Structure formats: C-alpha cells, structure tokens
Amino acid sequence: MSGYVEILLGGSEWRPYGLRYAPKNNDRAYEGLVASATQNAASSTDISLRPLSGRWFYFESRRF
C-alpha cells in the first residue's frame, strides 16, 4: 500500500508510532488504510493501526 503520508511522532525511537493520512485525491490509499485497520495491522511491521477521524489513522510499528 502506498500513497499515504506518514508522520513519526517525537520520542518514537524505541517503537515507532505516529500518524498516517490518506490525501483526499487518493481513495486507494484511504481504502487500503481502512482495510488494514479492520485487520488491526497494516503490514508485518505494524503492531496496530487505528482510525482517528476522517482520513487520519494512528499506527504503532515494531522496533526497527
């Protein structure tokens, strides 16, 4: 899945976490994030992915 924006939040060096946003002009990215959140993991590198509001999602990844 691609086309979304990922923002790592400060202090996330040990276990990366942050926000993902699917731009309004990219329905494919949005649908991919929704599907991943429904399965509670975006990829093998994510621990969780949760919808927040609109096209924003919160994620937690495994340690690098």
Side-chain angles (χ1 to χ4, degrees), residues 2-56:
S2 64
Y4 59 81
V5 176
E6 183 172 284
I7 302 168
L8 288 174
L9 299 177
S12 64
E13 293 81 19
W14 179 252
R15 178 179 288 164
Y17 64 93
L19 303 171
R20 290 185 180 143
Y21 175 75
K24 284 190 174 190
N25 62 349
N26 195 332
D27 290 334
R28 187 173 172 190
Y30 175 72
E31 291 165 5
L33 288 171
V34 169
S36 296
T38 301
Q39 298 170 6
N40 200 27
S43 69
S44 60
T45 61
D46 283 347
I47 294 171
S48 70
L49 178 67
R50 296 185 305 238
L52 294 176
S53 178
R55 300 173 79 88
W56 287 95

